[in-house]
Amino acid sequence: AHLTTPNTGFVCAHDVGRGLHPSWKRPLAERAVHWALRSVYKTIPDDSISVDKIEYVNGRARLHLVKQGQRRKRVKGGYEIQNVKNPFNLATWSGNDSQFLGGFLIAGADKRWYPAKAEPKGKGKGLEIWSDLVDKPIALRYGWGSYPIANIGPWENPLPPFRTDDW
């Protein structure tokens, strides 16, 4: 609904509290304000993180993330704001600064889900995700389940949960 309705958006809450209505409301309010300033009022630059592409190579999933950004370009009569996509550098964010990068599940052709390990690859520009229990992965989930430990991205705008399957 938020993609088709003007002036509505999406605020991640998967990492704040437990349950459908977490008792810790302040982070959600701060994220909602950050979204409004970024998307509706355009007073701060867009800095959202999203999945650019996922490849399955040699028994591992390679996840490439991008960070939306904006830059000012001088044009005749003033400036123009351009939206750009840059690789998201994981070196600037290491999953709550001290924890492992978590929240991934991976599945093979048998469609059974297993917890997956993740580590930055390619100078922090992407992630490799794998499980020793899956030889040839075909699907990936992040932040999926009732109480996921999904900790990629900045506090005010983390990577939203996603899935690549339709099972």
Side-chain angles (χ1 to χ4, degrees), residues 6-69:
N7 295 328
T8 61
F10 180 82
V11 176
C12 288
H14 64 276
D15 61 338
V16 180
R18 297 284 185 221
L20 186 58
H21 298 285
S23 59
W24 198 20
K25 305 286 191 220
R26 185 176 178 127
L28 299 178
E30 289 172 354
R31 288 177 184 178
V33 167
H34 191 265
W35 172 84
L37 291 174
R38 183 179 70 245
S39 302
V40 178
Y41 297 103
K42 301 190 185 315
T43 58
I44 60 175
D46 189 0
D47 62 351
S48 58
I49 300 166
S50 60
V51 175
D52 186 33
K53 66 179 177 178
I54 299 173
E55 305 168 306
Y56 300 99
V57 180
N58 298 329
R60 294 185 175 212
R62 291 188 182 155
L63 178 68
H64 301 272
L65 301 173
V66 291
K67 183 174 184 179
Q68 296 288 96

Side-chain angles (χ1 to χ4, degrees), residues 14-160:
H14 64 276
D15 61 338
V16 180
R18 297 284 185 221
L20 186 58
H21 298 285
S23 59
W24 198 20
K25 305 286 191 220
R26 185 176 178 127
L28 299 178
E30 289 172 354
R31 288 177 184 178
V33 167
H34 191 265
W35 172 84
L37 291 174
R38 183 179 70 245
S39 302
V40 178
Y41 297 103
K42 301 190 185 315
T43 58
I44 60 175
D46 189 0
D47 62 351
S48 58
I49 300 166
S50 60
V51 175
D52 186 33
K53 66 179 177 178
I54 299 173
E55 305 168 306
Y56 300 99
V57 180
N58 298 329
R60 294 185 175 212
R62 291 188 182 155
L63 178 68
H64 301 272
L65 301 173
V66 291
K67 183 174 184 179
Q68 296 288 96
Q70 294 176 331
R71 69 175 177 212
R72 289 182 358 159
K73 179 181 178 187
R74 185 183 279 283
V75 295
K76 187 175 182 178
Y79 290 95
E80 159 182 294
I81 302 294
Q82 294 179 326
N83 292 322
V84 294
K85 290 184 178 181
N86 298 309
F88 177 60
N89 190 351
L90 286 164
T92 62
W93 181 260
S94 60
N96 291 344
D97 291 336
S98 64
Q99 296 180 358
F100 65 97
L101 295 170
F104 290 99
L105 298 171
I106 198 164
D110 62 357
K111 297 183 179 180
R112 295 189 62 178
W113 293 99
Y114 297 96
K117 300 173 189 169
E119 66 180 22
K121 286 291 183 188
K123 297 183 181 178
K125 302 284 189 235
L127 284 174
E128 278 200 0
I129 300 138
W130 77 97
S131 171
D132 296 334
L133 301 171
V134 179
D135 291 332
K136 293 182 181 177
I138 63 167
L140 185 66
R141 290 180 179 176
Y142 171 74
W144 213 255
S146 297
Y147 305 111
I149 299 173
N151 56 4
I152 295 176
W155 170 253
E156 66 276 357
N157 198 12
L159 179 66

